[in-house]
């Protein structure tokens, strides 16, 4: 079990990572703040004097995944092509509320005066990786939800390693051994990524390389509190069957 391409796309669309936006026949604009509506529309947050504030028509929005740790793999880059329209009135205020759910930004209190939200209705959604582009069906993209763990991924991984390593590493070893993985006695499995579906870890191989394994959450996590509850039971009460 792992995030689907649609779920990764929705997670990146709602992330705090700044976007790059290119309007038709226009220059690329970097470091664009954004959020997403419940149906996947991209909501760009612009100052009134920004180049994008009055943009209408076709645009491309790029949002790169930022791995939580230096050695973590990346999910790639989201590319959304669609039609941009500056919002006004009640639509702009509703869009500001949607952005505020994932991005705390004081400019969202200034909608309609010095802050403009430009809505991008997706027409094409693609995830790009090292060696291929993966189209995402619009219906799947609209139906997916952002991963509720994504915004806390780095904080949670660092906390587990730095503050609960004495319990965390033996837990990883037990899970890998139970799955039939030959883990050397002196090996510390390395956590790489964390999402609602599971934990990606790596271990060294005899030839000097590394192998990656996914430890799944069954069922998938519903959010931060669900994760805390399950980690507490797994790390501190591993023999408790109740």
């Amino acid at each position: 079990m792992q995030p689907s391409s649609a779920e990764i796309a929705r997670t990146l669309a709602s992330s705090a990572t700044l976007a790059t936006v290119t309007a038709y026949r226009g220059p690329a604009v970097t470091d664009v703040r954004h959020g997403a509506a419940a149906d996947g529309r991209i909501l760009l947050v612009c100052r009134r004097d920004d180049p994008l504030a009055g943009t209408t028509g076709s645009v491309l929005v790029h949002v790169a995944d930022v791995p939580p740790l230096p050695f973590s793999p990346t999910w790639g880059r989201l590319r959304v092509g669609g039609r941009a329209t500056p919002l006004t009135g009640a639509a702009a205020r509703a869009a500001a509320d949607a952005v505020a759910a994932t991005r705390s930004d004081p400019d969202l209190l200034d909608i309609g005066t010095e802050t403009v939200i430009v809505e991008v209705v997706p027409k094409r959604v693609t995830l790009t990786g090292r060696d291929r582009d993966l189209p995402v069906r619009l219906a799947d993209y609209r139906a997916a939800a952002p991963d509720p763990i994504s915004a806390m991924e780095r904080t949670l991984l660092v906390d587990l390693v730095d503050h609960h390593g004495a319990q965390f590493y033996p837990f990883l070893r037990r899970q890998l051994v139970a799955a039939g993985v030959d883990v050397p006695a002196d090996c510390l499995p390395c956590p790489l990524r964390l999402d609602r579906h599971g934990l990606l870890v790596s271990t060294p191989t005899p030839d000097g390389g590394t192998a990656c394994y996914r430890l799944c959450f069954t069922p998938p996590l519903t959010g931060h509190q669900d994760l805390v509850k399950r980690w507490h039971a797994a790390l501190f009460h591993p023999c408790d069957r109740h």
Side-chain angles (χ1 to χ4, degrees):
M1 296 176 64
Q2 62 183 16
S4 68
S5 57
E7 186 173 359
I8 294 171
R10 284 300 302 274
T11 299
L12 293 177
S14 301
S15 71
T17 305
L18 298 175
T20 296
V21 183
T22 305
Y24 180 65
R25 291 184 177 176
V29 180
T30 59
D31 297 335
V32 180
R33 296 165 293 172
H34 66 92
D39 59 2
R41 286 171 292 136
I42 307 295
L43 305 171
L44 309 177
V45 181
C46 311
R47 300 292 294 173
R48 188 166 294 281
D49 57 355
D50 286 350
L52 292 173
T55 298
T56 60
S58 297
V59 299
L60 277 175
V61 180
H62 297 258
V63 183
D65 174 46
V66 178
L69 302 170
F71 42 80
S72 299
T74 177
W75 291 120
R77 176 184 291 265
L78 170 67
R79 184 173 71 231
V80 176
R83 182 171 181 81
T85 305
L87 299 178
T88 60
R93 291 190 292 274
D97 290 341
V99 175
T102 55
R103 175 184 291 278
S104 177
D105 193 320
D107 281 351
L108 295 173
L109 301 174
D110 201 20
I111 293 296
T113 53
E114 295 302 318
T115 304
V116 176
I117 290 189
V118 177
E119 170 192 88
V120 179
V121 178
K123 300 298 183 183
R124 302 177 306 281
V125 178
T126 307
L127 282 176
T128 64
R130 289 183 177 178
D131 53 1
R132 65 169 181 161
D133 290 350
L134 177 64
V136 179
R137 292 179 59 235
L138 284 177
D140 295 339
Y141 172 79
R142 295 189 185 105
D147 191 296
I149 303 300
S150 176
M152 301 168 282
E153 182 183 11
R154 183 182 188 282
T155 300
L156 291 168
L157 287 174
V158 171
D159 181 68
L160 285 167
V161 170
D162 287 353
H163 300 131
H164 304 293
Q167 297 80 29
F168 184 50
Y169 286 117
F171 165 77
L172 294 181
R173 172 182 288 279
R174 289 195 301 271
Q175 297 301 307
L176 290 169
V177 170
V181 179
D182 183 14
V183 184
D186 58 349
C187 166
L188 289 179
C190 179
L192 300 175
R193 303 235 37 169
L194 175 65
D195 56 66
R196 69 185 295 261
H197 296 283
L199 181 70
L200 185 68
V201 301
S202 68
T203 62
T205 58
D207 61 1
T210 58
C212 292
Y213 302 94
R214 175 168 277 270
L215 303 177
C216 297
F217 298 127
T218 307
L221 299 169
T222 59
H224 178 241
Q225 291 303 316
D226 188 19
L227 174 64
V228 170
K229 180 179 178 180
R230 295 200 213 181
W231 274 139
H232 191 274
L235 298 183
F236 300 103
H237 304 284
C239 297
D240 188 352
R241 299 181 181 272
H242 299 287

